Amino acid sequence: MRTCSQFSDKGWFQSMFVHEVEARKDAHSNLLSKSETSDLYKIQFHNVKPECLEAYNNLEAEVQHKLHLDQDYPCDVVGSWNTWYGDQDQAVHLWRYTGGYPALTECLTKLNNNKEYLHFRMERSKMLVSRRNQLLLEFSFWNEPTPRNGPNIYEMRSYKLKPGTMIEWGNHWARAIKHRQENNEAVGGFFSQIGDLYEVHHLWAYKDLQSREETRNSAWQKEGWDSSVYYTVPLIRSMESRIMIPTKSSPLQ
């Protein structure tokens, strides 16, 4: 039979290694997203046949323009890009649905009854190799993505986090984002709701690759940036960087 001291010693030993975390009282989507808006975002990744990329861009621009002019559709394109470094012959589109899930449902219902849009989808399908999408919410502490003049290059840094770490990630980045505002490089920060889960996308704008390097290096001179990196790196399972060029029709230039 074990003595009281043995149990006590075991408890003391385990306490050195076991970190007790207080249970959450709400979903991380409610704790981290902007409560003053009900916007929902959709990101699309389209891998295009190399010989079709120009025709694809022209077709997408035409459809996006028509949707912007039609007030019956509660959606707008935030930005459209072609990947420069990363997956080649790839198009990336970020959409905003003003009104959340009801707006998304309304938009999809109307588009599925729009013969012109159905024809567009048929023509587009001939140009694609593969496609995927995600539904996203916007971090409350990030900048609101608004149209900007160019020319700029954009970097999308995508992080796949360990399940259960999104709150911790948000807490650290709520402090870290202040170190990345000096050159107006922060465009938007999002986390997934449907699709690949526990994935974060940070969107940055730079004049060129050289300014990207200088801006990123300057962050290390700011007090607190190093600790933010130190504490968030262990939360990451994998990460990816895309350098993207905006299409001619993109509101983010």
Side-chain angles (χ1 to χ4, degrees):
M1 180 179 294
R2 297 182 183 179
T3 66
C4 291
S5 63
Q6 284 177 310
F7 281 111
S8 177
D9 289 345
K10 183 180 179 182
W12 172 84
F13 181 78
Q14 285 183 333
S15 69
M16 294 179 64
F17 299 95
V18 177
H19 177 60
E20 294 186 5
V21 180
E22 185 179 351
R24 284 208 318 263
K25 304 301 183 184
D26 203 350
H28 69 244
S29 58
N30 294 330
L31 296 172
L32 293 174
S33 61
K34 295 186 175 180
S35 58
E36 65 273 17
T37 68
S38 57
D39 291 347
L40 180 70
Y41 291 82
K42 179 175 71 176
I43 191 166
Q44 298 174 304
F45 300 96
H46 290 176
N47 295 312
V48 185
K49 295 176 182 178
E51 68 275 15
C52 296
L53 188 58
E54 183 177 357
Y56 169 92
N57 285 337
N58 291 335
L59 186 61
E60 278 285 351
E62 180 183 345
V63 172
Q64 289 175 7
H65 179 68
K66 288 182 179 179
L67 287 178
H68 271 290
L69 293 178
D70 195 331
Q71 298 299 314
D72 284 340
Y73 292 91
C75 66
D76 61 290
V77 63
V78 176
S80 288
W81 304 268
N82 291 144
T83 302
W84 186 20
Y85 289 103
D87 291 334
Q88 296 293 283
D89 305 307
Q90 184 182 70
V92 180
H93 308 289
L94 182 63
W95 292 84
R96 174 170 43 223
Y97 294 86
T98 304
Y101 290 109
L104 173 68
T105 301
E106 178 187 351
C107 208
L108 292 179
T109 300
K110 289 179 176 178
L111 288 175
N112 286 332
N113 288 288
N114 184 323
K115 291 183 179 180
E116 187 178 10
Y117 180 76
L118 294 177
H119 177 72
F120 152 73
R121 289 193 62 179
M122 185 181 301
E123 291 301 309
R124 186 185 65 182
S125 68
K126 300 173 185 177
M127 306 177 185
L128 297 180
V129 176
S130 63
R131 60 194 178 107
R132 68 181 181 92
N133 60 21
Q134 289 175 299
L135 294 181
L136 314 170
L137 291 177
E138 183 183 8
F139 282 114
S140 60
F141 48 84
W142 264 81
N143 304 36
E144 185 78 20
T146 56
R148 62 173 68 194
N149 297 324
N152 295 294
I153 64 169
Y154 289 80
E155 180 177 22
M156 181 174 289
R157 296 178 71 86
S158 300
Y159 305 88
K160 293 188 176 180
L161 306 184
K162 298 174 184 177
T165 62
M166 188 66 74
I167 295 291
E168 190 175 353
W169 176 275
N171 287 339
H172 288 300
W173 265 97
R175 294 187 289 270
I177 191 64
K178 66 182 181 182
H179 301 304
R180 298 297 309 275
Q181 301 281 5
E182 193 171 280
N183 296 318
N184 195 31
E185 68 266 29
V187 178
F190 311 90
F191 59 98
S192 60
Q193 286 291 283
I194 296 179
D196 290 339
L197 297 178
Y198 282 96
E199 186 163 13
V200 170
H201 302 289
H202 290 175
L203 186 60
W204 309 93
Y206 305 100
K207 180 181 177 182
D208 50 36
L209 289 174
Q210 181 61 35
S211 71
R212 170 188 176 272
E213 181 178 17
E214 293 169 357
T215 300
R216 287 176 55 79
N217 286 341
S218 70
W220 289 96
Q221 310 306 315
K222 298 180 174 67
E223 185 178 356
W225 175 253
D226 56 345
S227 62
S228 296
V229 174
Y230 178 83
Y231 286 112
T232 53
V233 165
L235 310 179
I236 301 170
R237 281 189 163 175
S238 64
M239 56 189 294
E240 180 182 6
S241 169
R242 288 178 178 82
I243 301 296
M244 309 182 301
I245 305 296
T247 61
K248 295 179 180 179
S249 62
S250 176
L252 289 168
Q253 285 295 310

